[in-house]
């Protein structure tokens, strides 16, 4: 990580600071972020999600991972299915409730790990390769992983993360229609899209219910 990027991350003290730094990384103003390969920007599949992710980060949800919804033949010739999903950390209880309300209204899945209430939901498998589980969202990293990922941060910022809610929001079905519904609902929470925006006529469920990991 460049010295300038390291200083930028080290100067963060609050989760709101971390969210702003993450938005800057997503938009290319920072070349690196903690826990990610140095001097690399977001993955190619994330490009279309950058405006939504940056808005979430500036609203108070520091995102750590996301993916679009799809159902297609992948680079390896296998059949890949993905549920649109995002996960991260937040301390703003009002924003947390807004996201929960939006998710409930549209049937999105949420996975919550809240150290203050003790709620800890089961993780959800969000990607399958030829029908086999491949990726899950919702698992909160343990202390060793947190140190490996965020050791560059100031101790105050790390304490913020330790006490924050870890949240994943997941479309209930795989594919592009549920992808649009998930990201539209989050854009409405952040104000990126008006709350009364018209929905596409073809936004119908496009996959079977998700599998829950144990």
């Amino acid at each position: 990580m460049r010295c300038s990027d390291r200083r930028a991350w080290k100067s963060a003290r609050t989760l709101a600071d971390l969210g702003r730094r993450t938005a800057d990384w997503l938009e290319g103003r920072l070349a690196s972020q903690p826990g990610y390969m140095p001097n690399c920007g977001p993955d190619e599949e994330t490009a279309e999600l950058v405006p939504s992710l940056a808005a979430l980060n500036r609203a108070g949800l520091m995102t750590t991972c996301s993916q679009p919804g799809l159902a297609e033949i992948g680079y390896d010739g296998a059949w890949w299915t993905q549920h649109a999903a995002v996960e991260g950390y937040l301390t703003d209880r009002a924003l947390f409730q807004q996201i929960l309300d939006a998710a409930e209204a549209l049937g999105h899945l949420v996975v919550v790990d809240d150290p203050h209430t003790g709620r800890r939901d089961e993780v959800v498998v969000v990607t399958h390769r030829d029908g086999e589980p491949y990726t899950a969202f919702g698992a909160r990293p343990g202390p060793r992983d947190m140190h490996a990922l965020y050791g560059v941060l100031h101790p105050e910022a790390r304490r913020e993360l330790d006490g924050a809610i870890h949240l994943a929001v997941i479309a209930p079905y795989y594919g592009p229609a549920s992808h649009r519904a998930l990201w539209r609902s989050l854009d409405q929470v952040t104000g990126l899209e008006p709350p009364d925006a018209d929905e596409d006529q073809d936004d119908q469920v496009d996959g079977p219910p998700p599998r829950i990991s144990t």
Side-chain angles (χ1 to χ4, degrees), residues 126-197:
V126 295
T127 305
H128 291 81
R129 178 186 180 276
D130 279 343
E132 295 298 320
Y134 190 84
T135 305
F137 270 35
R140 188 185 194 113
R144 289 185 179 180
D145 289 332
M146 290 295 286
H147 178 74
L149 290 168
Y150 300 114
V152 68
L153 299 181
H154 190 278
E156 289 182 24
R158 294 202 300 270
R159 284 194 291 272
E160 282 264 307
L161 287 174
D162 289 340
I165 301 165
H166 187 266
L167 172 68
V169 185
I170 303 161
Y173 303 96
Y174 62 72
S178 288
H179 163 92
R180 290 190 293 273
L182 178 85
W183 291 103
R184 178 188 294 117
S185 69
L186 294 172
D187 288 346
Q188 291 172 353
V189 168
T190 63
L192 193 63
E193 185 169 321
D196 58 349

Side-chain angles (χ1 to χ4, degrees), residues 9-194:
W9 287 102
K10 191 76 172 180
S11 69
R13 296 292 187 273
T14 67
L15 197 137
D17 292 339
L18 294 173
R20 287 189 286 270
R21 303 293 188 281
T22 304
D24 286 342
W25 172 77
L26 286 161
E27 294 171 337
R29 281 182 290 278
L30 289 175
S32 302
Q33 70 161 345
Y36 202 76
M37 186 175 294
N39 303 310
C40 285
D43 190 87
E44 184 178 340
E45 74 171 6
T46 307
E48 68 169 304
L49 305 179
V50 164
S52 298
L53 291 169
L56 281 171
N57 276 279
R58 293 195 172 99
L61 173 64
M62 174 195 167
T63 64
T64 57
C65 194
S66 64
Q67 66 179 33
L70 57 83
E72 63 186 26
I73 299 295
Y75 68 96
D76 56 356
W79 179 248
W80 291 80
T81 55
Q82 285 190 179
H83 298 253
V86 62
E87 67 179 2
Y89 296 91
L90 73 168
T91 54
D92 185 332
R93 293 276 165 176
L95 177 62
F96 176 53
Q97 192 60 53
Q98 282 183 281
I99 293 174
L100 292 185
D101 290 345
E104 181 180 1
L106 292 175
H108 301 322
L109 306 174
V110 295
V111 182
V112 177
D113 186 312
D114 187 342
H116 295 283
T117 64
R119 176 176 174 179
R120 180 172 292 178
D121 299 335
E122 291 186 77
V123 302
V124 174
V125 175
V126 295
T127 305
H128 291 81
R129 178 186 180 276
D130 279 343
E132 295 298 320
Y134 190 84
T135 305
F137 270 35
R140 188 185 194 113
R144 289 185 179 180
D145 289 332
M146 290 295 286
H147 178 74
L149 290 168
Y150 300 114
V152 68
L153 299 181
H154 190 278
E156 289 182 24
R158 294 202 300 270
R159 284 194 291 272
E160 282 264 307
L161 287 174
D162 289 340
I165 301 165
H166 187 266
L167 172 68
V169 185
I170 303 161
Y173 303 96
Y174 62 72
S178 288
H179 163 92
R180 290 190 293 273
L182 178 85
W183 291 103
R184 178 188 294 117
S185 69
L186 294 172
D187 288 346
Q188 291 172 353
V189 168
T190 63
L192 193 63
E193 185 169 321

